[in-house]
């Protein structure tokens, strides 16, 4: 077995060794220096990157339990949490509950947490979403385990085996283990309308304000930037540079659209910090200021930026505010009209591969191109088949295919059911 898959199990064993509550038959306190050595070693070798280890004595331990897991911190006697960072879903938590009577509700809270994390990563980081679909939440007496890592089942076995040794109950087994999968695979009923479309229930707490492109469009057409703010001038300058770089004389609207789509993917990245458990999305992340000036943003930032470019190039475009993962995750994308026909474009999900992955050299150029155009000029049916939901009657139905990215057409035609993978 590879080191990367065995070290998470070692983390469980080492972590449990340093939780005082697990040492019911041992005298003395845990050795903090040994714990620091274990932390350092495991963080460097297990692929967790800049992970943070929280213990009962950490300042943010109670905050994490309450704000992230939705647990009553006063009912957690002890524990250890390996928190993820950036575009990482890996996470391990071992919690000792003060009252066994709260175990089932605590387990439910963690299950809900994993589902919400899976919703957050779906589309943006498919590999991390897949990892979350295989997460395990297990109860072992008063101990609650959250295991989001490769080979979660093996990690659980190692943790339970160590618990048996630590608390002196060799015959004990987990009271309950949850194997978490996507909601539509658990037998839950997906509610549809009379057309068979999955029902859309808006997850937006407040409908996002669409970026007003009119002042920039006026300055673009007239050449008069006197009424623009300094930041808007910088925004327009970045747009001019992009158009000069990728738009060539004689291009069709579809070719211009594709050039801008690819330029955005090359220019900006998804704001990874927003996907951490305690991450917050700023207003700037939702606008072209984030994508064009800070070179990072979230789905609405991508969609508003794409809308801005299409308006500047006089290509009819709409921004759609909808959802993904069974209406659990707020999401936004665009629609463009080409030769009188509408197409859907999800620039954000086309950027899910990430520049670090591309730079790794593990993907061929053909694979990269295919992955980065899976949601370029697709139909409404394609979006519905790949986990998008929206107010279907509020926007045109996209049915055309002739302006789609050509390699995608053959791929989607033969593998329609696997389009979301």
């Amino acid at each position: 077995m590879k080191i990367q898959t065995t070290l998470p199990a070692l983390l469980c064993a080492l972590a449990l060794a340093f939780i005082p509550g697990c040492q019911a038959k041992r005298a003395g306190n845990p050795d903090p220096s040994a714990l620091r050595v274990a932390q350092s070693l495991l963080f460097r070798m297990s692929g967790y990157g800049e992970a943070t280890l929280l213990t009962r004595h950490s300042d943010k331990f109670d905050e994490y339990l309450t704000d992230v897991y939705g647990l009553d911190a006063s009912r957690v006697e002890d524990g250890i949490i390996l928190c993820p960072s950036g575009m990482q879903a890996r996470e391990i938590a071992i919690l000792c509950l003060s009252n066994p009577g709260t175990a089932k509700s605590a387990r439910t809270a963690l299950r809900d947490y994993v589902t919400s994390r899976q919703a957050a990563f779906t589309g943006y980081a498919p590999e991390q979403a897949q990892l979350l679909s295989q997460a395990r939440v297990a109860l072992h007496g008063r101990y609650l385990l959250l295991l989001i890592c490769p080979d979660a089942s093996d990690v659980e076995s190692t943790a339970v085996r160590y618990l048996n040794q630590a608390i002196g109950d060799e015959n004990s087994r987990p009271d309950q283990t949850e194997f978490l999968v996507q909601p539509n695979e658990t037998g839950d009923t997906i509610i549809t309308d009379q057309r068979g479309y999955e029902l859309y229930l808006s997850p937006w707490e407040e409908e996002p304000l669409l970026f007003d492109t009119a002042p920039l469009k006026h300055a673009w057409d007239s050449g008069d930037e006197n009424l623009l703010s300094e930041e808007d001038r910088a925004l327009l300058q970045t747009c001019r540079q992009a158009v000069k770089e990728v738009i060539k004389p004689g291009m069709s609207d579809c070719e211009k659209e594709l050039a801008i789509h690819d330029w955005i993917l090359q220019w900006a990245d998804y704001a990874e910090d927003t996907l951490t458990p305690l991450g917050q999305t700023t207003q700037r992340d939702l606008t072209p200021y984030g994508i064009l000036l800070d070179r990072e943003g979230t789905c609405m930032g991508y969609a508003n930026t794409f809308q801005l470019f299409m308006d500047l190039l006089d290509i009819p475009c709409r921004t759609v505010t909808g959802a993904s993962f069974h209406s659990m995750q707020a999401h936004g994308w665009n629609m463009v009209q080409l030769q009188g026909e509408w197409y859907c474009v999800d620039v954000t999900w086309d950027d899910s591969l990430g520049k670090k992955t591309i730079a790794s050299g593990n993907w061929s150029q053909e694979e990269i191109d295919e992955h980065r155009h899976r949601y370029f000029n697709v139909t409404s049916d394609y979006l519905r088949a790949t986990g998008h939901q929206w107010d279907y009657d509020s926007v045109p139905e996209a049915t055309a295919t002739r302006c789609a990215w050509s390699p995608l057409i053959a791929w989607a035609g033969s593998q329609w059911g696997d389009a979301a993978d």
Side-chain angles (χ1 to χ4, degrees), residues 74-309:
S74 66
R75 296 186 175 184
V76 178
E77 182 178 305
D78 213 335
I80 191 167
I81 305 170
L82 183 62
C83 311
S85 64
M87 199 74 78
Q88 286 287 331
R90 293 184 179 190
E91 185 169 359
I92 290 177
I94 305 161
L95 307 176
C96 181
L97 305 176
S98 57
N99 182 357
T102 66
K104 289 186 177 181
S105 61
R107 183 190 65 215
T108 299
L110 287 191
R111 176 177 181 174
D112 291 344
Y113 166 70
V114 173
T115 302
S116 69
R117 292 285 284 163
Q118 189 180 359
F121 277 102
T122 295
Y124 306 109
E127 291 181 0
Q128 301 302 313
Q130 178 64 23
L131 186 66
L132 282 154
S133 74
Q134 299 168 3
R136 298 185 78 88
V137 177
L139 274 174
H140 183 83
R142 291 194 299 136
Y143 293 91
L144 180 61
L145 280 62
L146 167 64
L147 307 171
I148 306 173
C149 56
D151 294 335
S153 179
D154 292 341
V155 175
E156 179 194 349
S157 298
T158 300
V160 169
R161 186 165 60 250
Y162 191 90
L163 273 172
N164 287 340
Q165 297 170 358
I167 64 179
D169 184 2
E170 297 294 344
N171 296 319
S172 181
R173 291 292 181 272
D175 297 328
Q176 182 70 41
T177 299
E178 293 289 348
F179 184 65
L180 300 176
V181 295
Q182 295 185 15
N184 63 333
E185 294 177 351
T186 63
D188 295 349
T189 301
I190 296 176
I191 302 175
T192 61
D193 63 16
Q194 66 275 17
R195 295 165 292 190
Y197 301 163
E198 182 172 349
L199 191 66
Y200 169 63
L201 301 172
S202 176
W204 296 91
E205 295 181 5
E206 295 181 4
E207 197 67 20
L209 292 175
L210 302 182
F211 185 77
D212 183 7
T213 66
L216 290 167
K217 172 62 173 170
H218 174 76
W220 177 273
D221 291 339
S222 67
D224 182 5
E225 300 182 7
N226 291 328
L227 297 179
L228 296 182
S229 67
E230 182 177 347
E231 195 165 44
D232 280 348
R233 290 178 185 176
L235 205 64
L236 200 61
Q237 179 59 27
T238 304
C239 291
R240 292 189 191 283
Q241 291 174 350
V243 169
K244 181 179 180 180
E245 179 183 333
V246 301
I247 302 301
K248 307 302 178 185
M251 276 187 168
S252 67
D253 283 351
C254 182
E255 289 170 329
K256 293 177 183 178
E257 178 213 1
L258 176 59
I260 292 299
H261 169 280
D262 289 358
W263 181 88
I264 293 173
L265 298 189
Q266 191 65 31
W267 178 261
D269 288 302
Y270 194 87
E272 293 186 3
D273 288 346
T274 64
L275 289 176
T276 62
L278 289 172
Q280 296 291 326
T281 299
T282 67
Q283 189 65 30
R284 196 174 177 87
D285 291 328
L286 308 175
T287 69
Y289 300 118
I291 293 293
L292 295 179
L293 301 186
D294 303 336
R295 302 186 69 163
E296 67 174 17
T298 58
C299 62
M300 287 306 300
Y302 280 87
N304 278 317
T305 299
F306 185 82
Q307 178 77 57
L308 171 60
F309 273 112

Side-chain angles (χ1 to χ4, degrees), residues 12 40 90 97 228 242 264 285 301 315 337 358 362 367 377:
C12 280
S40 177
R90 293 184 179 190
L97 305 176
L228 296 182
I264 293 173
D285 291 328
I315 299 175
Q337 189 179 44
I358 293 174
N362 295 326
E367 290 172 326
N377 286 4

Side-chain angles (χ1 to χ4, degrees), residues 314-388:
D314 295 318
I315 299 175
C317 181
R318 302 182 64 160
T319 298
V320 182
T321 54
S324 62
F325 203 81
H326 315 293
S327 291
M328 291 183 61
Q329 181 69 23
H331 189 43
W333 58 92
N334 301 96
M335 297 187 72
V336 292
Q337 189 179 44
L338 302 167
Q339 301 175 8
E341 298 176 311
W342 286 97
Y343 299 82
C344 300
V345 187
D346 190 338
V347 185
T348 316
W349 281 22
D350 273 344
D351 203 20
S352 64
L353 195 55
K355 295 178 179 58
K356 292 180 182 179
T357 302
I358 293 174
S360 70
N362 295 326
W363 291 61
S364 68
Q365 189 58 50
E366 182 180 355
E367 290 172 326
I368 292 171
D369 287 343
E370 182 177 289
H371 189 96
R372 304 194 95 185
H373 297 88
R374 293 185 302 168
Y375 300 96
F376 178 79
N377 286 4
V378 296
T379 65
S380 297
D381 277 342
Y382 182 93
L383 283 194
R384 280 187 284 266
T386 54
H388 294 66

